[in-house]
Amino acid sequence: MGEVPEETVRELYTALPDGFTAARDAAATAAKAAGHAAQATAIKRLRRPTVAAWLVNLLAHRAPERIAELSALAAALRDAQRQLRGADLRALTVQRRDLLSALTEQAADLAVRAQPARSPAKLPLAEVEQTLAAALADDDVAVQVRAGTVTKAVSYTGFGAASPLGDEPDDNEPSGETVHTARRTAARTAVRKSPAAPAAPAAPVEAVAAVAAQRVARTAAPPAVPVGLRRELASAREAEQRARDEVDRARAAETATADELAQLRTALAALEERRARAQQEANGQRAARTAADRALAAAVRRTAKAQAAIDARAARS
């Protein structure tokens, strides 16, 4: 795909598979109209991915850093297998299981974002996980995964090349000549990977290490849990965490309300004390006013009496 621009590859292999053929043909037509005949031919040869392959390609183009983690783990596994380091193999086996599960779930999330109407339960997540696992052991698959150009899901059994999973028919299967060429290439690759010997050859060191790793994994690791059950467990844990958060919020609100009620009671007691003092002061002022009224009435009577006496004396004179 060296003649196909990376942007074109990314757009085609992250688009929905149903629209791949039309988008590919349109891109080829545009390249040909621009005078790039060789590029148009290369684009036309691109094959439509299955849904499982599309999920892997989404992951490669949208989260390349996670695919880099997969490549790093593959290198670590190969190194541990060559040197038959049992402790490292056990640790890497656990890391392998966790990483494959996380990548599969992330691919499902990316698919739902790309097509919200798609149900995660109907996605071929098992095939996605098998393809990612194959990329850990098969260099050819790893190259396709890193490039985000996977066309079919594959599986790896431990020896030889990864096997394709026929989850969907292809809309443009290669011609018979292409199939024969691919078979010849696979045969040459198998010859290069096998040691030459006149009799039955011994298995290569990598194969022996792989068998040892599988034996260690079977004895050290628990049985693999289906992706669907892992997603259900993750969903239940999220619901549990949300419930715990809700309980924490309710408890915090209850504490805040109790504190506010205590503050109001304290303020009410202070107001009641102030009211009692004001009432006492008002009672004293009322008594003082009553005494002043009485004194005023007595003064008025004395004034009237004195005035009457003056008037009587004046009349006798």
Side-chain angles (χ1 to χ4, degrees), residues 32-43:
K32 186 174 182 180
H36 306 300
Q39 185 181 110
T41 302
I43 293 174

Side-chain angles (χ1 to χ4, degrees), residues 33-34 81 110 136 140 147 158 183 192 198 210 214 258 268 275 306-307 314:
Q81 288 168 358
L110 291 171
L136 287 170
D140 293 336
R183 287 174 179 170
R192 287 197 303 268
Q214 290 175 358
L268 181 61
R275 186 197 66 79
Q307 185 64 45

Side-chain angles (χ1 to χ4, degrees), residues 7-309:
E7 183 64 26
T8 301
V9 171
R10 182 163 48 253
E11 290 178 358
L12 290 176
Y13 282 97
T14 57
L16 298 178
D18 293 343
F20 177 88
T21 303
R24 179 201 61 191
D25 293 346
T29 300
K32 186 174 182 180
H36 306 300
Q39 185 181 110
T41 302
I43 293 174
K44 192 69 175 177
R45 291 198 186 108
L46 298 179
R47 299 173 60 191
R48 176 174 65 90
T50 63
V51 173
W54 170 65
L55 290 168
V56 175
N57 294 335
L58 270 181
L59 191 63
H61 290 293
R62 299 285 188 258
E65 70 283 355
R66 303 308 305 275
I67 299 301
E69 293 181 34
L70 194 70
S71 300
L73 178 59
L77 281 168
R78 283 194 296 270
D79 183 61
Q81 288 168 358
R82 288 193 190 97
Q83 302 184 31
L84 298 178
R85 299 196 305 267
D88 290 344
L89 283 171
R90 285 191 291 272
L92 290 170
T93 298
V94 175
Q95 183 179 348
R96 173 186 182 274
R97 184 175 62 247
D98 293 343
L99 181 59
L100 289 177
S101 176
L103 291 179
T104 301
E105 292 180 3
Q106 187 169 357
D109 292 338
L110 291 171
V112 173
R113 292 181 189 177
Q115 192 177 27
R118 187 181 291 271
S119 172
K122 296 182 179 180
L123 293 172
L125 299 182
E127 295 178 10
V128 172
E129 186 166 351
Q130 290 177 25
T131 302
L132 295 172
L136 287 170
D138 189 294
D139 290 339
D140 293 336
V141 177
V143 169
Q144 292 184 43
V145 170
R146 287 195 299 269
T149 56
V150 180
T151 57
K152 281 190 175 182
V154 295
S155 63
Y156 189 78
T157 58
F159 292 97
S163 303
L165 299 173
D167 56 347
E168 288 184 2
D170 197 351
D171 65 333
N172 52 353
E173 289 291 343
S175 64
E177 177 61 29
T178 304
V179 171
H180 293 315
T181 301
R183 287 174 179 170
R184 287 196 298 271
T185 302
R188 288 196 299 270
T189 302
V191 170
R192 287 197 303 268
K193 290 184 178 179
S194 301
V205 175
E206 289 81 357
V208 176
V211 173
Q214 290 175 358
R215 289 175 178 171
V216 171
R218 285 195 296 269
T219 58
V225 180
V227 175
L229 291 179
R230 286 200 297 269
R231 291 180 64 84
E232 183 178 352
L233 176 60
S235 177
R237 285 175 174 171
E238 291 178 1
E240 179 185 355
Q241 187 58 49
R242 287 195 296 270
R244 290 182 183 277
D245 293 341
E246 186 64 27
V247 169
D248 291 340
R249 286 193 294 271
R251 287 176 176 171
E254 180 184 8
T255 300
T257 302
D259 292 342
E260 183 179 4
L261 179 60
Q263 293 175 2
L264 289 174
R265 285 174 175 169
T266 301
L268 181 61
L271 288 173
E272 182 63 27
E273 185 178 352
R274 288 179 58 188
R275 186 197 66 79
R277 287 198 301 268
Q279 183 65 50
Q280 185 177 3
E281 184 178 354
N283 291 340
Q285 291 176 351
R286 185 179 298 110
R289 181 183 60 78
T290 300
D293 288 342
R294 290 174 180 172
L296 175 60
V300 169
R301 286 194 297 272
R302 287 180 59 192
T303 301
K305 186 175 180 181
Q307 185 64 45

